[in-house]
Amino acid sequence: MKYLLQRIAFYLFTAWAALTINFFIPRLIPGDPVTSLINKYQGQLSTDAIQSLYVLFGLDKNASLWSQYVDYWGQIFHGDLGLSFTFFPTPVSEILRQSLPWTIALVGITTFASFMIGTSLGVLAGWRRGSWLDGLLPVTTFLSSIPYFWLGLLAITLLAGPDSIFPSSGGYEPGLVPSWNSEFIGSAIQHSLLPAMTILISSVSGWILSMRNMMVTVASEDYITVAHAKGLPERRVMVSYAARNALLPNVSGFALALGFIVGGTLLVEIVFSYPGIGYNLFQAVGSKDYPLMQGVFLVITLSVLVANLMADIAYLLLDPRTRKEG
Amino acid sequence: MSAPATTITAVTPGGPEVAATPAKRRRLRFVANPKAATGLVVLGFFCLIAIIGPWIAPYDPSARSSDLIQAPSGKHWFGTTHLGQDIFSQVLVGTRGVMFVGLLAGIVATALSILIGVSAGFLGGAADESLSALSNVFLVIPALPLIIIVASTIPAAGDLMVALVIGLTSWAWGARVLRAQTLSLRRRDYVEAARATGESTWRIITAEIMPNLTAIIASGFVGTVIFAVMSEITLAFIGISTISEWNWGTILFWAQSQQALAQGAWWWFVPAGLAIAVLGTALSLINFGIDEFVSPRLRSSGHTKLKTKDGHSVRMRVGFTPVLGAKDAPATPVVRRKEEAA
């Protein structure tokens, strides 16, 4: 329990650090993002509106940095992330609320699946070191060196087409209205197949490799030899003795690698024009939409922190030693 | 129980005896690893292209011509873009930017990780606590979105700026690994001996600790270069860094924004992507080479299945004593199930 509390305290600290970075980035922007917005809406904004925009983007020259910082925290706790430039005057929080479920469904499920598949293959490759499974390693190395987004481009060229079952872009059939009926869900699944496969192929090899290396290390431990000597079935020794112990570093590795993986998967959304957070980031970058960019960064960071916490809880469940101390 | 003595001799390979390698060749052992050697050769090739690329490029990469969206031909090896630019020249010229950013970011991040990781591990106490908290925070915050946001707030981010941003944000992993290793080294006998003889802290770190961290530092450097190359190409691909400087990401940016896919112009994005993948694979191979150099156990020992003289086959594995699963002989207490059971 103490371990878990320590982790939670650390994540709170990280969240604070991320939010503070988020606070300072727009203040480092040379020039004035609000001016560009005013130019875009020539004459449509009153002076009051302009002043409120300056306050909203934290560019109020009359307030001190500290009071801006306090105001910023107040806004965050109210879920107010400012107004988007691109979709003006839609609030950023509204845009993110629409796109977050898409990203969580796509990235969350594929990352988890890739971890499971990669770990199982790694168990086999490590256990049967020197068998044909080792031939798999160079192939997966090559696949993992391919940028996610380029693999996506390739997948679209090769597999998607006018008469293919794989749509090349979007999250669902253009005519449909998002709802919980079978037609919409079917369409959503169909649209997510290609992006999901892309993410799976490029991310799985890292797990195979790290799990294989852990298995090789664990396989020479004394308790494995003892398990063999007892005459336990091969499968039991592999799964319950070797794999269970080799899994622990891989689970903590999962937590740490998450930040990198999520960054890569966002690009897949861009290539497939998938209606998630990554695509929002792309749109925001294209039109210098700083509030939306910051909102995306904030949401991604917080989601990664939550996922990290879940990985920690999984670690607690897997490793009895961490539970004993509390 | 058919004569255990023969079983033991049968287990030893009947193949040719491997002569013990003379000690004088130790220095070249790393290069002798086929993975590392392949990786180094490919990396060397890309470095060469980075240097001479702009001189051997047949065309000016930005020069327009009347050959719009041409498939690869003798005149244009990798085809042309929507403006008639030669893609082969773009790839050649773009190599320099990719290698420059990758290596510079790698150097910056490695220097930072040594500074932070080794001092955290060696100093201990409050310094360790705060430095590891710092690196953990940087590790958990998703790096790519942070890089994208920081780079997009810098107007006209050139290669140098991009390399610095990537280098300054991606040192955390190396620092963490180095800290752990330094922690295990700082109480070793030879370090204590150096301390007892009155060596300065600075000398202990540079002369006693650092040489033992070489492999970790090298592998961290290679890992960071991979990440830096990917990040840089990503930044160019989504159009954040300046598109006036050519690199592989810029090519992909134009290919994506000009609908190369819809026009079936596969030659537009395939060469640049393959170059990225080959460079990334080469760097990963170097890293595997380092890993296997440090921990020989990880080597995929190619030939593990042995045929014994009396027709049994045995698989050699680390940590296991091969036992023959003889069908006719009664089982000894240590005989385990046959390999096929798994």
Side-chain angles (χ1 to χ4, degrees):
Chain A
M1 208 51 217
K2 191 184 158 216
Y3 168 79
L4 199 60
L5 287 177
Q6 270 175 352
R7 298 307 295 168
I8 292 173
F10 168 69
Y11 292 131
L12 286 177
F13 176 72
T14 309
W16 169 80
L19 282 160
T20 306
I21 293 174
N22 211 12
F23 169 76
F24 281 107
I25 286 173
R27 284 156 185 80
L28 298 173
I29 303 169
D32 187 350
V34 178
T35 318
S36 67
L37 186 69
I38 296 168
N39 291 339
K40 196 172 155 192
Y41 291 91
Q42 282 167 344
Q44 294 176 31
L45 297 171
S46 67
T47 34
D48 277 356
I50 291 171
Q51 178 58 29
S52 68
L53 276 178
Y54 273 106
V55 175
L56 204 59
F57 294 130
L59 297 164
D60 190 356
K61 300 282 183 297
N62 302 324
S64 72
L65 203 61
W66 175 249
S67 71
Q68 288 182 33
Y69 188 62
V70 174
D71 288 350
Y72 167 77
W73 274 100
Q75 285 181 1
I76 295 283
F77 278 114
H78 290 102
D80 178 4
L81 298 170
L83 303 178
S84 163
F85 287 5
T86 328
F87 307 99
F88 194 78
T90 320
V92 170
S93 48
E94 178 61 32
I95 298 170
L96 294 180
R97 208 160 48 85
Q98 280 171 11
S99 51
L100 191 59
W102 291 97
T103 299
I104 289 180
L106 178 70
V107 175
I109 293 173
T110 48
T111 306
F112 187 71
S114 133
F115 176 77
M116 297 309 270
I117 296 172
T119 305
S120 331
L121 283 176
V123 168
L124 286 176
W127 195 244
R128 325 209 108 226
R129 190 170 71 118
S131 70
W132 61 272
L133 273 164
D134 269 353
L136 218 65
L137 298 177
V139 180
T140 54
T141 309
F142 183 73
L143 286 177
S144 71
S145 305
I146 300 174
Y148 290 41
F149 63 85
W150 188 70
L151 199 66
L153 288 175
L154 215 59
I156 294 176
T157 323
L158 295 178
L159 297 175
D163 38 43
S164 153
I165 56 154
F166 297 118
S168 66
S169 69
Y172 49 90
E173 210 61 46
L176 295 175
V177 181
S179 61
W180 286 110
N181 57 36
S182 60
E183 192 192 4
F184 177 76
I185 291 172
S187 164
I189 289 175
Q190 196 193 1
H191 278 75
S192 66
L193 280 178
L194 218 46
M197 262 155 46
T198 307
I199 298 174
L200 210 59
I201 289 174
S202 20
S203 64
V204 81
S205 69
W207 304 124
I208 298 184
L209 200 75
S210 63
M211 193 62 190
R212 171 195 178 264
N213 287 356
M214 274 320 295
M215 281 297 280
V216 170
T217 312
V218 166
S220 60
E221 295 283 346
D222 288 344
Y223 56 80
I224 302 293
T225 315
V226 171
H228 275 306
K230 283 198 290 191
L232 292 177
E234 178 89 3
R235 180 185 293 272
R236 176 124 188 247
V237 180
M238 177 174 87
V239 176
S240 314
Y241 285 69
R244 185 157 179 197
N245 284 287
L247 191 63
L248 292 173
N250 226 27
V251 170
S252 49
F254 177 76
L256 292 173
L258 217 58
F260 288 94
I261 297 169
V262 168
T265 49
L266 294 177
L267 295 166
V268 175
E269 291 185 0
I270 297 175
V271 172
F272 287 94
S273 309
Y274 198 77
I277 299 259
Y279 193 56
N280 278 342
L281 184 63
F282 180 58
Q283 292 169 313
V285 164
S287 53
K288 299 257 173 221
D289 184 347
Y290 294 108
L292 185 54
M293 252 189 261
Q294 286 188 283
V296 169
F297 174 66
L298 205 66
V299 169
I300 294 172
T301 309
L302 293 182
S303 324
V304 169
L305 290 183
V306 171
N308 261 295
L309 188 62
M310 282 168 12
D312 280 339
I313 293 172
Y315 193 93
L316 268 180
L317 296 176
L318 283 169
D319 187 357
R321 282 170 299 186
T322 52
R323 269 173 286 162
K324 209 176 156 193
E325 285 157 21
Chain B
M1 200 61 79
S2 57
T6 58
T7 321
I8 290 163
T9 50
V11 166
T12 52
E17 284 290 311
V18 183
T21 340
K24 62 181 174 187
R25 295 209 43 187
R26 277 176 67 93
R27 286 210 163 272
L28 287 173
R29 245 184 7 186
F30 174 64
V31 185
N33 180 320
K35 284 181 188 166
T38 318
L40 284 172
V41 168
V42 176
L43 183 66
F45 172 75
F46 277 110
C47 285
L48 185 70
I49 297 289
I51 296 166
I52 65 169
W55 297 324
I56 60 167
Y59 300 89
D60 178 352
S62 311
R64 302 175 182 197
S65 73
S66 51
D67 302 330
L68 307 182
I69 314 202
Q70 298 266 307
S73 62
K75 197 175 166 205
H76 299 285
W77 285 9
F78 292 169
T80 56
T81 69
H82 65 299
L83 296 173
Q85 296 155 331
D86 183 50
I87 293 173
F88 182 55
S89 303
Q90 293 181 347
V91 173
L92 284 180
V93 173
T95 311
R96 183 177 285 182
V98 173
M99 298 301 286
F100 171 75
V101 172
L103 294 177
L104 182 63
I107 291 169
V108 171
T110 309
L112 272 173
S113 66
I114 294 174
L115 194 69
I116 292 172
V118 175
S119 30
F122 193 79
L123 298 175
D128 181 20
E129 291 279 320
S130 49
L131 287 176
S132 0
L134 184 70
S135 45
N136 281 338
V137 166
F138 265 90
L139 210 53
V140 171
I141 292 178
L144 197 58
L146 183 64
I147 292 173
I148 289 176
I149 289 177
V150 173
S152 66
T153 54
I154 301 168
D159 280 348
L160 187 66
M161 272 329 276
V162 170
L164 288 179
V165 170
I166 296 173
L168 291 176
T169 46
S170 53
W171 49 268
W173 180 265
R176 188 185 157 96
V177 179
L178 283 173
R179 173 186 168 267
Q181 190 64 19
T182 311
L183 268 183
S184 83
L185 289 177
R186 65 189 270 248
R187 287 290 160 212
R188 298 272 172 95
D189 287 346
Y190 64 91
V191 179
E192 295 286 6
R195 204 176 281 136
T197 52
E199 299 278 16
S200 67
T201 308
W202 178 245
R203 202 188 134 72
I204 294 175
I205 290 180
T206 51
E208 310 285 346
I209 305 247
M210 291 280 276
N212 291 300
L213 296 174
T214 318
I216 296 179
I217 293 172
S219 115
F221 173 74
V222 174
T224 318
V225 173
I226 299 176
F227 177 72
V229 166
M230 293 290 172
S231 310
E232 183 215 1
I233 287 164
T234 307
L235 287 182
F237 174 67
I238 58 178
I240 290 177
S241 43
T242 47
I243 44 179
S244 53
E245 288 173 53
W246 285 104
N247 73 41
W248 300 338
T250 324
I251 300 171
L252 295 173
F253 168 77
W254 286 114
Q256 165 87 348
S257 60
Q258 296 301 323
Q259 307 288 329
L261 291 175
Q263 304 183 35
W266 54 268
W267 58 86
W268 200 341
F269 57 87
V270 167
L274 274 184
I276 300 166
V278 171
L279 177 60
T281 311
L283 290 166
S284 306
L285 283 175
I286 295 176
N287 241 352
F288 294 162
I290 297 173
D291 280 351
E292 292 178 2
F293 183 66
V294 177
S295 159
R297 220 184 253 169
L298 297 178
R299 287 175 204 160
S300 48
S301 41
H303 193 67
T304 54
K305 205 154 194 167
L306 300 170
K307 226 18 176 217
T308 58
K309 279 168 192 148
D310 51 346
H312 292 287
S313 64
V314 170
R315 266 165 43 88
M316 308 289 282
R317 279 194 280 168
V318 176
F320 301 132
T321 312
V323 180
L324 290 178
K327 289 187 195 81
D328 43 3
T332 59
V334 286
V335 165
R336 53 191 175 81
R337 283 200 190 176
K338 286 208 319 177
E339 223 39 74
E340 290 79 46

